């Protein structure tokens, strides 16, 4: 492994480590201490809310990071514009989320839906501020803000679970308060970087040009996120919340394992954006990161596959034993998931948003069709197999366009 990469990205490593451990522990505590169906229901609401927030952010946070890295002198203008657009879409986001649950999951508490939707929205604001700081290369500020917010939230969350025996909505309100604290901390860091958020001088034409530029990127992000989360919604609708809980437990382990490499991607977009489409630099970037990621993922796949039973029982207890075979299947998706994240970062960094959009759209279509066909007959094992297929399809599609770009640069 290239230790220079690790040294250069230490705060990105710490950020991703803190974030993934926090949410893993929070969801784990709910899974262990509350009924399986309650956990499954909560996972479904989170998935739907996250899907809609990604739809309405239109890929603007990633565009913000990319453009800030290229044009630092216009950082405040980009940041203010993205925040304003996000606020404009707030009512529509809430309305669509509420209506969706009324139509498709009317038995889910609208109070729970509202709290989670509000929380997810505030997390999206935090993500925008983080992307602005990422474009400036200030990862230390992101980590310190996250650490403070998540530490307070986790302490209160643990106390609510084990001391107060609180209900689910109380726990969700604690998580929401953590999102507010993080935004406050990030705003202070933004000011220290000489950035300002002001809507007075936001230009309508500038916003229009940003939206046009971000549309292909936004669609790619939406399709990518949908194929990652849509299986949860499909499982919930075609089976029940218990099956959703079992699937999400195994998928949670898979996602937690990405801690080992995910730090590479936060700084990756900024780095690729700065390569200015230099063929040799892009090729070296791809080769360097692929070797690191592939080595890590092969090792993790072996551990997860052969240790699936022990992992599930230790973390989620025996009541989640039905998640074991699902985790074994999902272990084979790890390498594809990691490498297609890398190729996606490269495509976005090169400004090839439309190509990334095309691949993720096809991946989403394949994912949805196969899930609808096979889940009724084979259950969550089918969903796991479809996830494996989708990850490698996305990888192949991304690599096709990257290879095409490198060959074209030669001519």
């Amino acid at each position: 492994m290239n230790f220079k990469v690790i040294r250069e990205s230490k705060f990105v490593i710490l950020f991703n480590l803190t974030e993934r451990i926090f949410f893993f522990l929070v969801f784990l505590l709910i899974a262990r201490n509350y009924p399986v169906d309650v956990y499954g229901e909560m996972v479904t609401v989170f998935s739907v809310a996250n899907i809609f927030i990604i739809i309405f952010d239109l890929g603007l946070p990633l565009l913000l990071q990319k453009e800030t890295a290229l044009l630092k002198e216009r950082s405040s203008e980009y940041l203010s514009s993205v925040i304003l657009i996000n606020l404009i879409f707030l009512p529509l986001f809430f309305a669509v989320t509420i209506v969706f649950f009324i139509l498709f999951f009317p038995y889910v508490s609208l109070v729970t839906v509202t709290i989670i939707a509000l929380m997810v929205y505030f997390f999206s604001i935090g993500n925008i501020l983080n992307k602005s700081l990422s474009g400036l290369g200030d990862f230390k500020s992101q980590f310190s803000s996250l650490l403070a917010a998540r530490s307070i939230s986790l302490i209160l969350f643990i106390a609510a679970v084990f001391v107060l025996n609180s209900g689910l909505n109380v726990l969700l309100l604690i998580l929401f308060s953590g999102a507010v604290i993080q935004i406050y901390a990030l705003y202070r860091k933004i000011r220290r970087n000489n950035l300002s958020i002001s809507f007075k001088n936001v230009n309508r034409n500038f916003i229009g040009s940003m939206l046009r530029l971000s549309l292909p990127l936004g669609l790619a992000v939406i399709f990518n996120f949908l194929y990652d989360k849509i299986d949860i919604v499909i499982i919930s609708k075609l089976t029940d919340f218990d099956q959703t809980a079992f699937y999400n437990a195994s998928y949670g382990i898979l996602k937690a394992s990405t801690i080992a490499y995910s730090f590479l991607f936060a700084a990756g977009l900024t780095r690729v954006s700065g390569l200015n489409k230099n063929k040799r630099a892009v090729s070296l970037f791809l080769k360097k990161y692929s070797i690191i990621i592939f080595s890590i993922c092969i090792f993790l796949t072996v551990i997860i596959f052969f240790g699936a039973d022990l992992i599930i029982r230790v973390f989620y207890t025996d009541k989640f034993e039905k998640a074991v075979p699902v985790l074994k299947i999902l272990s084979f998706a790890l390498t594809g998931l990691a490498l297609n994240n890398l190729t996606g970062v490269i495509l976005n960094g090169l400004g090839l948003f439309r190509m990334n959009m095309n691949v993720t759209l096809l991946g989403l279509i394949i994912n949805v069709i196969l899930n609808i066909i096979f889940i009724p007959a084979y259950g969550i094992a089918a969903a796991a197999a479809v996830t494996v297929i989708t990850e490698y399809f996305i990888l192949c599609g991304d690599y096709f366009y990257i290879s095409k770009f490198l060959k074209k640069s030669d001519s």
Side-chain angles (χ1 to χ4, degrees), residues 165-239:
N165 296 315
S166 301
L168 181 62
N169 287 343
V170 173
L171 301 182
L172 295 174
L173 286 172
I174 291 173
L175 296 180
F176 169 69
S177 66
V180 175
I181 293 172
Q182 184 189 13
I183 289 174
Y184 173 73
L186 284 170
Y187 179 72
R188 295 185 61 184
K189 303 297 184 183
I190 288 288
R191 296 293 299 273
R192 289 180 184 177
N193 275 276
N194 297 317
L195 297 181
S196 61
I197 300 175
S198 174
F199 305 137
K200 294 181 180 179
N201 298 318
V202 173
N203 187 290
R204 292 182 180 179
N205 293 330
F206 182 69
I207 288 181
S209 65
M210 283 187 65
L211 289 172
R212 287 191 295 273
L213 186 60
S214 72
L215 183 59
L217 175 60
L219 290 174
V221 172
I222 290 167
F223 298 150
N224 185 75
F225 195 82
L226 277 174
Y227 89 73
D228 184 54
K229 294 294 183 183
I230 197 68
D231 47 1
I232 291 292
V233 181
I234 295 174
I235 291 169
S236 298
K237 190 62 183 175
L238 296 182
T239 59

Side-chain angles (χ1 to χ4, degrees), residues 36-46 107-109 112 241 244:
V36 172
D37 63 321
V38 170
Y39 173 70
E41 178 180 318
M42 184 202 67
V43 166
T44 301
V45 179
F46 263 106
Y107 38 84
V108 175
S109 168
T112 300
F241 287 137
T244 303

Side-chain angles (χ1 to χ4, degrees), residues 30-103:
I30 295 175
R32 290 177 64 97
N33 293 280
Y34 293 83
V36 172
D37 63 321
V38 170
Y39 173 70
E41 178 180 318
M42 184 202 67
V43 166
T44 301
V45 179
F46 263 106
S47 295
V48 172
N50 276 303
I51 286 172
F52 285 129
I53 201 66
I54 289 295
I55 290 174
F56 288 114
D57 80 10
L58 303 171
L60 287 168
L62 278 178
L63 179 66
L64 173 64
Q65 179 181 344
K66 182 179 183 297
E67 295 302 321
T68 299
L70 292 173
L71 300 169
K72 290 182 171 57
E73 65 275 9
R74 301 189 69 178
S75 299
S76 294
E77 186 178 7
Y78 276 109
L79 177 59
S80 299
S81 299
V82 173
I83 292 289
L84 179 59
I85 295 169
N86 191 270
L87 290 172
I88 291 172
F89 279 119
L90 172 61
L92 188 57
F93 162 69
F94 270 104
V96 171
T97 304
I98 295 296
V99 169
F100 180 88
F101 277 96
I102 291 175
L103 293 176

Side-chain angles (χ1 to χ4, degrees), residues 3-16 139 263-268 271 289:
F3 290 97
K4 183 181 178 182
V5 173
I6 296 179
R7 289 195 303 272
E8 292 174 349
S9 308
K10 65 178 179 179
F11 288 112
V12 184
I13 297 173
L14 292 172
F15 181 95
N16 282 278
F139 300 104
F263 65 89
L264 296 167
F265 300 126
R271 290 179 181 178
Y289 278 69

